Amino acid sequence: MLMEKEAIKENKTVLDIGTNNGSLLLYAYHLGAKKLIGVDIYQEALDLAKLNIEQFATNYELYHSRVQDLIID
């Protein structure tokens, strides 16, 4: 399994590298993650992730970037 339930700590931030359609971020949200951060090099994937995530969560950030170039405060 890509993500174990025990790996998600309630009220923590989850970073998904190669987020694609955001399904793992949504899973993390339903397990109690406080903030969701997704990174992908494909804008089309991020557009789909945004459509999926914004239906459920408000505290999320999506970045169109290579992970090597990503800077998050």
Side-chain angles (χ1 to χ4, degrees):
M1 177 176 219
L2 290 173
M3 184 183 345
E4 296 293 327
K5 286 181 10 177
E6 295 80 21
I8 302 300
K9 304 294 184 206
E10 202 167 317
N11 295 316
K12 296 291 183 179
T13 299
V14 172
L15 171 63
D16 183 15
I17 299 169
T19 199
N20 198 1
N21 65 5
S23 61
L24 291 178
L25 288 176
L26 283 174
Y27 183 60
Y29 171 77
H30 288 294
L31 292 177
K34 179 180 180 182
K35 183 174 183 178
L36 309 172
I37 300 174
V39 182
D40 207 296
I41 59 172
Y42 298 108
Q43 185 61 54
E44 296 83 5
L46 290 172
D47 293 342
L48 182 55
K50 182 179 181 196
L51 285 173
N52 290 332
I53 294 169
E54 71 185 358
Q55 296 178 48
F56 302 97
T58 57
N59 195 11
Y60 69 92
E61 298 173 14
L62 298 173
Y63 294 94
H64 178 228
S65 175
R66 293 180 342 140
V67 71
Q68 301 92 324
D69 301 329
L70 184 65
I71 299 172
I72 300 174
D73 291 333

